[in-house]
Amino acid sequence: MDSALTLIGLPIALGVIMLGLGLGLTTEDFRRVAQHPRAAVIALVCQVLVLPALCFGLVLAFDLAPELAVGMMLLAASPGGTTANLFSHLFGGHVALNITLTAINSVLAVFTLPILVNLSAAYFLPDGRSIGLQFDKVLQVFAIVLVPVALGMLIRARAPQVAERLNRPVRVLSVVVLVAVIAGAVLGERENIADYFVSVGLAVLAFNLLSLAIGYGVPRLAGVERSAATAAGFEIGIHNSTLAITIALSPALLNSTQMAIPGAVYGIVMFFTAAAFGYLVNRVGARAATTVTT
């Protein structure tokens, strides 16, 4: 789970993908986010308050071992990852909203993640391990998300024809990279996958599915339009498992392989559940559009 693919290859690959996302964005997209803040506010409330409470309930319901319980709470406290932006891009979500939420969540996580993990450690663990504020990790998220996107937007603004020609090939490349990452993650952990899933698989799957459902369902119930709700669903439903794994494994932080297991399982499961979620949302949206037309 701490292989070069996970800790180095994946961030680099996602950085390239984020460049492709930037090719399809303009400053007007971000202005629309500011003009319609309801989706952003609802998503942030769900991310910061609802999901940790949901995760805590699942941890108790599944009666997880103490270190696995803290690992689950660490996962719930982690902000949305760049993979959420990719899935939103592929399935018609409001990508500018995703990028905005990822940036805001990353800043909030500097404060909320240590607080939540420290409270969880104090509750579940006898030795009450703690972590500090992870400014360097937040800077990494900003670098992976904002720098390539800004470069892509610059290309679109200065050379729109080039950006248009690159848009479709980059979408195809994004899918190829995503499949390669899934295959690499599964192959790299093939000897341990069975044990991981037995120990925490059902809890992780339940948390992931409920996160996606809440992320999409709550905004829709509040009247948010479908593309923004789709973006919120991916942002809330896909956490930064690489960040959670890194914090759990780091000798200077939690230094626990057990705490990294929920993030490792989640990092595999989320690709399949997110793809199914995107397909389902698009299918429902297409059916609704057909009904309105007829």
Side-chain angles (χ1 to χ4, degrees), residues 3-4 17-18 25 67 88-89 126 140 157 161 199 206 208 212 227 233 238 264 277:
S3 65
I17 291 169
M18 295 309 294
L25 291 173
E67 292 199 333
S88 186
H89 176 61
Q140 288 175 21
Q161 292 181 341
S199 61
N208 188 205
L212 288 166
S227 67
I238 301 180
F277 167 76

Side-chain angles (χ1 to χ4, degrees), residues 22-215:
L23 293 172
L25 291 173
T26 66
T27 54
E28 184 60 31
D29 294 320
F30 290 92
R31 291 194 188 99
R32 283 197 291 271
V33 174
Q35 292 168 359
H36 304 283
R38 182 188 299 178
V41 172
I42 292 172
L44 290 172
V45 170
C46 289
Q47 177 78 41
V48 175
L49 298 177
V50 177
L51 288 194
L54 170 67
C55 187
F56 183 73
L58 288 173
V59 165
L60 296 179
F62 282 93
D63 193 25
L64 297 181
E67 292 199 333
L68 293 177
V70 175
M72 284 289 295
M73 297 305 294
L74 168 62
L75 185 63
S78 298
T82 50
T83 312
N85 302 328
L86 169 59
F87 273 105
S88 186
H89 176 61
L90 294 176
F91 289 102
H94 195 315
V95 179
L97 175 60
N98 274 107
I99 294 172
T100 301
L101 289 173
T102 298
I104 296 173
N105 271 329
S106 297
V107 174
L108 290 176
V110 173
F111 306 98
T112 59
L113 190 149
I115 291 172
L116 186 58
V117 173
N118 290 341
L119 288 174
S120 301
Y123 183 87
F124 290 109
L125 299 176
D127 59 353
R129 254 167 284 177
S130 63
I131 62 173
L133 301 180
Q134 300 302 301
F135 288 103
D136 59 331
K137 301 303 177 186
V138 173
L139 288 176
Q140 288 175 21
V141 173
F142 268 98
I144 293 172
V145 173
L146 297 184
V147 174
V149 167
L151 181 59
M153 291 179 66
L154 181 63
I155 294 173
R156 180 180 175 87
R158 298 291 177 84
Q161 292 181 341
V162 173
E164 191 64 33
R165 287 198 298 270
L166 289 174
N167 190 38
R168 183 174 179 80
V170 169
R171 277 179 178 259
V172 174
L173 177 62
S174 298
V175 175
V176 172
V177 170
L178 192 59
V179 171
V181 169
I182 295 171
V186 172
L187 289 175
E189 293 298 315
R190 61 187 179 277
E191 296 180 357
N192 302 315
I193 284 177
D195 292 337
Y196 291 168
F197 274 87
V198 168
S199 61
V200 77
L202 287 178
V204 166
L205 179 62
F207 177 65
N208 188 205
L209 292 176
L210 289 171
S211 298
L212 288 166
I214 290 171

Side-chain angles (χ1 to χ4, degrees), residues 37 94 194 209 226 256 268 278:
H94 195 315
L209 292 176
R226 190 176 65 85
S256 171
I268 296 171

